[in-house]
Amino acid sequence: MLEPDQLPRTLNDYYNRARDSMSSENRAYFLSGAGGEETLLANEEAFVRARITPRPLREMGGGSTATSVLGQRLAAPLLIAPFAYHRLLHPSGEIATAQGAGAQSIKMILSAQSSVELTNVQAAAQGCDWFQLYWMGSRQATLELAEMALAAGFGTLVLTIDAPVQGVRDREIEAGFQLPPDMSAVNLARFAPPRFTAPDEGQSFIFDRIAHHLPNWDDVAWLVETVQVPVLLKGILHPEDAARAVSIGAAGVIVSNHGGRVLDRAPATLDVLPTIVERVGPDYPVLMDGGIRRGVDIFVALALGAKAVLIGRPVVCGLAVAGELGVSHVLRLLRDELEVSMLLCGCASIDDITPDMVHLKL
Ligand code: FNR
């Protein structure tokens, strides 16, 4: 275990140490993206294009990063993005992540593909009460998974809609990534995966087999109406899909391309965020993720209309390098950098961060 004085000092250092210490299979699974990784890179590159104008000499005493989303108080406008199989990175897996997040009063969204039972993660730390689910092949199975999470104490659901099939992840295929025998999505064990027969002559496996088990807007509307808790839709990139989410009663949307892991050449999330916010209006909860590597990136996303952001790979790296302590430290670094950005731009509160402060270079 690393002592506090052996921890990386910067977010970049966390990334480098994690990348260099991971097995090649884990590196490919956690850090790579789909296809040629254009979208993975575009997410980060969009933030690099942002320019922010400082505003000195404003009164900053008593400022705060606190905010609220869906009526829930957040110490800072960031949450841990749902990602699978934390035990590949640390023996305590999702429990270490939840405790690291809890130490910073940051919420963690638990993935349906958690490698630890959801009841144990929920009980491990305060603030782990958002659960991410995938469509489980039928209304009944999806509701059953949602009810499992609600019974365990989760109170907000995130339905991920952008990965109906796995992306073509070249680096993962080349590295021969496979889950070790002692690793699985333990909470999904009771749901038998659909068994597909081989497609008939001239048929497509994707369109004539898998596609028959995928959800449509009516299914999602049914889920939103049936569960008695807020449901956010994760994986929105088109303004009309955001408007549809509003119309079916979703509590919010998460602008996301799954961290560039599904459709390579999907747009960078930061680039589409403003048009989505414009379409649904400034009061509707629009969150975003993808490519956030620094606290200043959080500032930029908020300025362009996000109410909060989700953090994926920086937390992956914190967990890989130093478990619970690493997660906590990464979150602290992000929040400290956000505070520096706010102070330099004359924003004493999250509501002070406005679109005119950021300019995206073409
Ligand atoms: C993910 N992501 C993801 N999303 C989800 O809804 N359910 C999941 O189980 C997973 N699993 C997963 C595994 C790994 C290894 C990664 C890197 C990502 C996507 C995740 O929630 C988020 O959208 C992205 O990670 C955000 O991009 P950044 O912050 O990693 O750039």
Side-chain angles (χ1 to χ4, degrees):
M1 204 177 100
L2 292 181
E3 296 299 322
D5 63 352
Q6 297 172 312
L7 293 176
R9 303 274 175 90
T10 64
L11 291 160
N12 205 27
D13 202 9
Y14 266 102
Y15 182 85
N16 292 336
R17 292 254 293 262
R19 182 199 54 207
D20 295 346
S21 64
M22 281 180 192
S23 66
S24 55
E25 290 89 349
N26 273 2
R27 192 158 50 238
Y29 179 68
F30 285 102
L31 301 182
S32 79
E37 304 188 337
E38 303 295 343
T39 297
L40 175 69
L41 295 175
N43 280 346
E44 295 180 15
E45 187 266 340
F47 283 101
V48 176
R49 278 190 278 116
R51 290 292 174 270
I52 308 164
T53 310
R55 301 295 306 276
L57 299 178
R58 292 183 175 181
E59 182 55 53
M60 288 290 113
S64 165
T65 59
T67 188
S68 77
V69 169
L70 310 181
Q72 303 176 34
R73 188 186 174 281
L74 304 181
L78 61 147
L79 303 93
I80 295 186
F83 65 91
Y85 307 125
H86 296 204
R87 277 182 54 239
L88 286 172
L89 299 170
H90 188 273
S92 307
E94 284 78 0
I95 290 187
T97 316
Q99 289 176 337
Q104 296 296 332
S105 304
I106 297 291
K107 280 187 187 290
M108 155 173 166
I109 308 175
L110 184 67
S111 165
Q113 291 179 307
S114 170
S115 51
V116 176
E117 287 192 15
L118 55 85
T119 42
N120 295 343
V121 187
Q122 214 282 330
Q126 288 226 320
C128 183
D129 55 5
W130 287 32
F131 182 77
Q132 175 267 325
L133 65 164
Y134 287 110
W135 191 256
M136 297 303 295
S138 70
R139 290 184 177 191
Q140 187 198 352
T142 309
L143 185 60
E144 193 179 329
L145 178 60
E147 285 175 344
M148 259 171 72
L150 300 184
F154 291 86
T156 301
L157 298 177
V158 171
L159 180 71
T160 298
I161 57 172
D162 62 2
V165 289
Q166 182 158 315
V168 181
R169 299 204 285 266
D170 288 8
R171 280 215 275 153
E172 222 178 279
I173 297 165
E174 285 159 12
F177 174 81
Q178 280 195 329
L179 281 181
D182 64 342
M183 190 74 52
S184 65
V186 289
N187 298 294
L188 306 183
R190 71 159 86 164
F191 302 94
R195 287 190 181 279
F196 299 114
T197 54
D200 297 336
E201 178 92 29
Q203 283 191 329
S204 145
F205 188 63
I206 293 204
F207 292 116
D208 297 304
R209 293 291 181 272
I210 297 177
H212 291 300
H213 294 261
L214 299 179
N216 59 28
W217 278 104
D218 289 341
D219 294 315
V220 174
W222 171 85
L223 184 73
V224 167
E225 203 182 302
T226 306
V227 294
Q228 300 292 311
V229 296
V231 180
L232 295 98
L233 300 190
K234 175 172 181 281
I236 296 282
L237 291 171
H238 195 293
E240 292 313 316
D241 288 341
R244 189 95 186 244
V246 177
S247 74
I248 64 166
V253 295
I254 302 174
V255 176
S256 175
N257 53 35
H258 219 102
R261 291 168 65 79
V262 182
L263 178 65
D264 196 28
R265 307 287 163 89
T269 46
L270 191 68
D271 284 334
V272 298
L273 176 66
T275 49
I276 289 177
V277 173
E278 193 184 318
R279 181 69 181 81
V280 298
D283 295 331
Y284 186 73
V286 176
L287 285 66
M288 73 87 74
D289 72 19
I292 291 168
R293 302 291 174 261
R294 316 211 51 123
V296 71
D297 298 337
I298 303 174
F299 184 95
V300 168
L302 298 179
L304 296 186
K307 294 275 187 274
V309 301
L310 278 52
I311 310 289
R313 291 182 184 83
V315 174
V316 164
C317 295
L319 182 64
V321 171
E324 171 189 343
L325 193 58
V327 169
S328 178
H329 191 205
V330 160
L331 295 172
R332 186 71 241 178
L333 288 169
L334 285 165
R335 182 167 160 190
D336 285 349
E337 286 190 11
L338 171 62
E339 288 188 2
V340 169
S341 310
M342 288 172 67
L343 186 122
L344 293 175
C345 294
C347 300
S349 77
I350 295 299
D351 287 345
D352 291 344
I353 305 173
T354 50
D356 55 293
M357 293 174 173
V358 170
H359 161 70
L360 277 188
K361 288 195 304 170
L362 288 177

PDB file of all heavy atoms in Angstrom, residues 47-68:
ATOM      1  N   PHE A  47     -11.829  19.833 -25.036  1.00  0.00           N
ATOM      2  CA  PHE A  47     -11.512  20.655 -23.856  1.00  0.00           C
ATOM      3  C   PHE A  47     -10.248  21.477 -24.073  1.00  0.00           C
ATOM      4  O   PHE A  47     -10.139  22.604 -23.588  1.00  0.00           O
ATOM      5  CB  PHE A  47     -11.365  19.770 -22.610  1.00  0.00           C
ATOM      6  CG  PHE A  47     -12.689  19.317 -22.064  1.00  0.00           C
ATOM      7  CD1 PHE A  47     -13.162  18.043 -22.322  1.00  0.00           C
ATOM      8  CD2 PHE A  47     -13.474  20.175 -21.320  1.00  0.00           C
ATOM      9  CE1 PHE A  47     -14.394  17.631 -21.843  1.00  0.00           C
ATOM     10  CE2 PHE A  47     -14.705  19.774 -20.824  1.00  0.00           C
ATOM     11  CZ  PHE A  47     -15.166  18.495 -21.096  1.00  0.00           C
ATOM     12  N   VAL A  48      -9.295  20.896 -24.809  1.00  0.00           N
ATOM     13  CA  VAL A  48      -8.047  21.618 -25.059  1.00  0.00           C
ATOM     14  C   VAL A  48      -8.321  22.875 -25.895  1.00  0.00           C
ATOM     15  O   VAL A  48      -7.610  23.870 -25.791  1.00  0.00           O
ATOM     16  CB  VAL A  48      -7.026  20.685 -25.765  1.00  0.00           C
ATOM     17  CG1 VAL A  48      -5.754  21.426 -26.134  1.00  0.00           C
ATOM     18  CG2 VAL A  48      -6.699  19.488 -24.869  1.00  0.00           C
ATOM     19  N   ARG A  49      -9.396  22.833 -26.699  1.00  0.00           N
ATOM     20  CA  ARG A  49      -9.736  23.990 -27.540  1.00  0.00           C
ATOM     21  C   ARG A  49     -10.415  25.119 -26.765  1.00  0.00           C
ATOM     22  O   ARG A  49     -10.637  26.193 -27.303  1.00  0.00           O
ATOM     23  CB  ARG A  49     -10.658  23.540 -28.680  1.00  0.00           C
ATOM     24  CG  ARG A  49      -9.910  22.942 -29.857  1.00  0.00           C
ATOM     25  CD  ARG A  49     -10.850  22.759 -31.035  1.00  0.00           C
ATOM     26  NE  ARG A  49     -11.632  21.546 -30.947  1.00  0.00           N
ATOM     27  CZ  ARG A  49     -12.951  21.487 -30.830  1.00  0.00           C
ATOM     28  NH1 ARG A  49     -13.672  22.581 -30.783  1.00  0.00           N
ATOM     29  NH2 ARG A  49     -13.560  20.326 -30.762  1.00  0.00           N
ATOM     30  N   ALA A  50     -10.812  24.828 -25.526  1.00  0.00           N
ATOM     31  CA  ALA A  50     -11.569  25.841 -24.767  1.00  0.00           C
ATOM     32  C   ALA A  50     -10.640  26.940 -24.251  1.00  0.00           C
ATOM     33  O   ALA A  50      -9.532  26.664 -23.797  1.00  0.00           O
ATOM     34  CB  ALA A  50     -12.275  25.175 -23.594  1.00  0.00           C
ATOM     35  N   ARG A  51     -11.103  28.155 -24.337  1.00  0.00           N
ATOM     36  CA  ARG A  51     -10.373  29.299 -23.793  1.00  0.00           C
ATOM     37  C   ARG A  51     -11.287  30.027 -22.816  1.00  0.00           C
ATOM     38  O   ARG A  51     -12.446  30.289 -23.113  1.00  0.00           O
ATOM     39  CB  ARG A  51      -9.949  30.252 -24.917  1.00  0.00           C
ATOM     40  CG  ARG A  51      -8.866  29.665 -25.812  1.00  0.00           C
ATOM     41  CD  ARG A  51      -7.533  29.514 -25.068  1.00  0.00           C
ATOM     42  NE  ARG A  51      -6.529  28.820 -25.865  1.00  0.00           N
ATOM     43  CZ  ARG A  51      -6.326  27.508 -25.880  1.00  0.00           C
ATOM     44  NH1 ARG A  51      -7.082  26.709 -25.145  1.00  0.00           N
ATOM     45  NH2 ARG A  51      -5.393  26.952 -26.617  1.00  0.00           N
ATOM     46  N   ILE A  52     -10.715  30.353 -21.663  1.00  0.00           N
ATOM     47  CA  ILE A  52     -11.502  30.929 -20.570  1.00  0.00           C
ATOM     48  C   ILE A  52     -10.920  32.293 -20.222  1.00  0.00           C
ATOM     49  O   ILE A  52      -9.704  32.433 -20.154  1.00  0.00           O
ATOM     50  CB  ILE A  52     -11.405  30.028 -19.321  1.00  0.00           C
ATOM     51  CG1 ILE A  52     -11.741  28.592 -19.687  1.00  0.00           C
ATOM     52  CG2 ILE A  52     -12.295  30.518 -18.208  1.00  0.00           C
ATOM     53  CD1 ILE A  52     -11.311  27.603 -18.638  1.00  0.00           C
ATOM     54  N   THR A  53     -11.784  33.247 -19.982  1.00  0.00           N
ATOM     55  CA  THR A  53     -11.287  34.593 -19.680  1.00  0.00           C
ATOM     56  C   THR A  53     -11.323  34.845 -18.180  1.00  0.00           C
ATOM     57  O   THR A  53     -12.401  34.838 -17.581  1.00  0.00           O
ATOM     58  CB  THR A  53     -12.164  35.647 -20.393  1.00  0.00           C
ATOM     59  OG1 THR A  53     -12.270  35.256 -21.769  1.00  0.00           O
ATOM     60  CG2 THR A  53     -11.539  37.021 -20.293  1.00  0.00           C
ATOM     61  N   PRO A  54     -10.159  35.083 -17.569  1.00  0.00           N
ATOM     62  CA  PRO A  54     -10.148  35.361 -16.124  1.00  0.00           C
ATOM     63  C   PRO A  54     -10.824  36.692 -15.801  1.00  0.00           C
ATOM     64  O   PRO A  54     -10.843  37.600 -16.628  1.00  0.00           O
ATOM     65  CB  PRO A  54      -8.656  35.430 -15.779  1.00  0.00           C
ATOM     66  CG  PRO A  54      -7.927  34.876 -16.946  1.00  0.00           C
ATOM     67  CD  PRO A  54      -8.807  35.065 -18.137  1.00  0.00           C
ATOM     68  N   ARG A  55     -11.383  36.784 -14.604  1.00  0.00           N
ATOM     69  CA  ARG A  55     -12.019  38.029 -14.146  1.00  0.00           C
ATOM     70  C   ARG A  55     -11.543  38.337 -12.735  1.00  0.00           C
ATOM     71  O   ARG A  55     -12.132  37.895 -11.755  1.00  0.00           O
ATOM     72  CB  ARG A  55     -13.553  37.871 -14.147  1.00  0.00           C
ATOM     73  CG  ARG A  55     -14.167  37.533 -15.494  1.00  0.00           C
ATOM     74  CD  ARG A  55     -14.002  38.634 -16.524  1.00  0.00           C
ATOM     75  NE  ARG A  55     -14.480  39.923 -16.108  1.00  0.00           N
ATOM     76  CZ  ARG A  55     -15.757  40.320 -16.189  1.00  0.00           C
ATOM     77  NH1 ARG A  55     -16.677  39.510 -16.675  1.00  0.00           N
ATOM     78  NH2 ARG A  55     -16.112  41.515 -15.790  1.00  0.00           N
ATOM     79  N   PRO A  56     -10.439  39.089 -12.619  1.00  0.00           N
ATOM     80  CA  PRO A  56      -9.880  39.358 -11.289  1.00  0.00           C
ATOM     81  C   PRO A  56     -10.700  40.372 -10.487  1.00  0.00           C
ATOM     82  O   PRO A  56     -11.626  40.990 -11.015  1.00  0.00           O
ATOM     83  CB  PRO A  56      -8.487  39.918 -11.612  1.00  0.00           C
ATOM     84  CG  PRO A  56      -8.569  40.413 -13.013  1.00  0.00           C
ATOM     85  CD  PRO A  56      -9.658  39.656 -13.708  1.00  0.00           C
ATOM     86  N   LEU A  57     -10.321  40.505  -9.232  1.00  0.00           N
ATOM     87  CA  LEU A  57     -10.791  41.567  -8.322  1.00  0.00           C
ATOM     88  C   LEU A  57     -12.256  41.454  -7.911  1.00  0.00           C
ATOM     89  O   LEU A  57     -12.817  42.407  -7.377  1.00  0.00           O
ATOM     90  CB  LEU A  57     -10.529  42.965  -8.935  1.00  0.00           C
ATOM     91  CG  LEU A  57      -9.067  43.313  -9.204  1.00  0.00           C
ATOM     92  CD1 LEU A  57      -8.948  44.699  -9.849  1.00  0.00           C
ATOM     93  CD2 LEU A  57      -8.266  43.296  -7.904  1.00  0.00           C
ATOM     94  N   ARG A  58     -12.872  40.331  -8.152  1.00  0.00           N
ATOM     95  CA  ARG A  58     -14.244  40.188  -7.643  1.00  0.00           C
ATOM     96  C   ARG A  58     -14.196  39.661  -6.215  1.00  0.00           C
ATOM     97  O   ARG A  58     -13.229  39.026  -5.807  1.00  0.00           O
ATOM     98  CB  ARG A  58     -15.040  39.237  -8.529  1.00  0.00           C
ATOM     99  CG  ARG A  58     -15.308  39.797  -9.917  1.00  0.00           C
ATOM    100  CD  ARG A  58     -16.167  38.831 -10.690  1.00  0.00           C
ATOM    101  NE  ARG A  58     -16.561  39.343 -11.993  1.00  0.00           N
ATOM    102  CZ  ARG A  58     -17.327  38.677 -12.836  1.00  0.00           C
ATOM    103  NH1 ARG A  58     -17.784  37.482 -12.527  1.00  0.00           N
ATOM    104  NH2 ARG A  58     -17.653  39.200 -13.999  1.00  0.00           N
ATOM    105  N   GLU A  59     -15.266  39.834  -5.469  1.00  0.00           N
ATOM    106  CA  GLU A  59     -15.317  39.361  -4.079  1.00  0.00           C
ATOM    107  C   GLU A  59     -15.512  37.855  -4.068  1.00  0.00           C
ATOM    108  O   GLU A  59     -16.508  37.349  -4.585  1.00  0.00           O
ATOM    109  CB  GLU A  59     -16.480  40.058  -3.353  1.00  0.00           C
ATOM    110  CG  GLU A  59     -16.601  39.696  -1.897  1.00  0.00           C
ATOM    111  CD  GLU A  59     -15.318  39.949  -1.115  1.00  0.00           C
ATOM    112  OE1 GLU A  59     -14.777  41.050  -1.169  1.00  0.00           O
ATOM    113  OE2 GLU A  59     -14.849  38.992  -0.446  1.00  0.00           O
ATOM    114  N   MET A  60     -14.568  37.138  -3.494  1.00  0.00           N
ATOM    115  CA  MET A  60     -14.610  35.668  -3.569  1.00  0.00           C
ATOM    116  C   MET A  60     -14.762  34.999  -2.207  1.00  0.00           C
ATOM    117  O   MET A  60     -14.881  33.776  -2.139  1.00  0.00           O
ATOM    118  CB  MET A  60     -13.299  35.146  -4.202  1.00  0.00           C
ATOM    119  CG  MET A  60     -13.165  35.415  -5.677  1.00  0.00           C
ATOM    120  SD  MET A  60     -14.329  34.412  -6.598  1.00  0.00           S
ATOM    121  CE  MET A  60     -15.356  35.685  -7.196  1.00  0.00           C
ATOM    122  N   GLY A  61     -14.719  35.757  -1.133  1.00  0.00           N
ATOM    123  CA  GLY A  61     -14.793  35.145   0.205  1.00  0.00           C
ATOM    124  C   GLY A  61     -16.071  34.331   0.361  1.00  0.00           C
ATOM    125  O   GLY A  61     -17.142  34.756  -0.088  1.00  0.00           O
ATOM    126  N   GLY A  62     -15.943  33.145   0.981  1.00  0.00           N
ATOM    127  CA  GLY A  62     -17.137  32.318   1.244  1.00  0.00           C
ATOM    128  C   GLY A  62     -17.644  31.575   0.032  1.00  0.00           C
ATOM    129  O   GLY A  62     -18.740  30.991   0.071  1.00  0.00           O
ATOM    130  N   GLY A  63     -16.873  31.572  -1.071  1.00  0.00           N
ATOM    131  CA  GLY A  63     -17.309  30.842  -2.270  1.00  0.00           C
ATOM    132  C   GLY A  63     -17.412  29.346  -2.023  1.00  0.00           C
ATOM    133  O   GLY A  63     -16.919  28.831  -1.018  1.00  0.00           O
ATOM    134  N   SER A  64     -18.052  28.647  -2.950  1.00  0.00           N
ATOM    135  CA  SER A  64     -18.268  27.208  -2.734  1.00  0.00           C
ATOM    136  C   SER A  64     -18.542  26.492  -4.046  1.00  0.00           C
ATOM    137  O   SER A  64     -19.138  27.060  -4.959  1.00  0.00           O
ATOM    138  CB  SER A  64     -19.472  27.034  -1.801  1.00  0.00           C
ATOM    139  OG  SER A  64     -19.934  25.702  -1.824  1.00  0.00           O
ATOM    140  N   THR A  65     -18.114  25.210  -4.102  1.00  0.00           N
ATOM    141  CA  THR A  65     -18.431  24.381  -5.271  1.00  0.00           C
ATOM    142  C   THR A  65     -19.750  23.630  -5.086  1.00  0.00           C
ATOM    143  O   THR A  65     -20.148  22.861  -5.966  1.00  0.00           O
ATOM    144  CB  THR A  65     -17.323  23.329  -5.519  1.00  0.00           C
ATOM    145  OG1 THR A  65     -17.212  22.506  -4.348  1.00  0.00           O
ATOM    146  CG2 THR A  65     -15.981  23.958  -5.835  1.00  0.00           C
ATOM    147  N   ALA A  66     -20.408  23.825  -3.951  1.00  0.00           N
ATOM    148  CA  ALA A  66     -21.637  23.054  -3.686  1.00  0.00           C
ATOM    149  C   ALA A  66     -22.723  23.414  -4.696  1.00  0.00           C
ATOM    150  O   ALA A  66     -22.808  24.549  -5.175  1.00  0.00           O
ATOM    151  CB  ALA A  66     -22.125  23.326  -2.270  1.00  0.00           C
ATOM    152  N   THR A  67     -23.548  22.426  -5.012  1.00  0.00           N
ATOM    153  CA  THR A  67     -24.635  22.657  -5.952  1.00  0.00           C
ATOM    154  C   THR A  67     -25.712  21.619  -5.684  1.00  0.00           C
ATOM    155  O   THR A  67     -25.580  20.799  -4.778  1.00  0.00           O
ATOM    156  CB  THR A  67     -24.110  22.567  -7.408  1.00  0.00           C
ATOM    157  OG1 THR A  67     -25.138  22.973  -8.306  1.00  0.00           O
ATOM    158  CG2 THR A  67     -23.652  21.164  -7.767  1.00  0.00           C
ATOM    159  N   SER A  68     -26.772  21.666  -6.465  1.00  0.00           N
ATOM    160  CA  SER A  68     -27.740  20.570  -6.335  1.00  0.00           C
ATOM    161  C   SER A  68     -28.214  20.138  -7.713  1.00  0.00           C
ATOM    162  O   SER A  68     -28.320  20.947  -8.632  1.00  0.00           O
ATOM    163  CB  SER A  68     -28.891  20.949  -5.408  1.00  0.00           C
ATOM    164  OG  SER A  68     -29.781  21.778  -6.058  1.00  0.00           O
TER     165      SER A  68
END
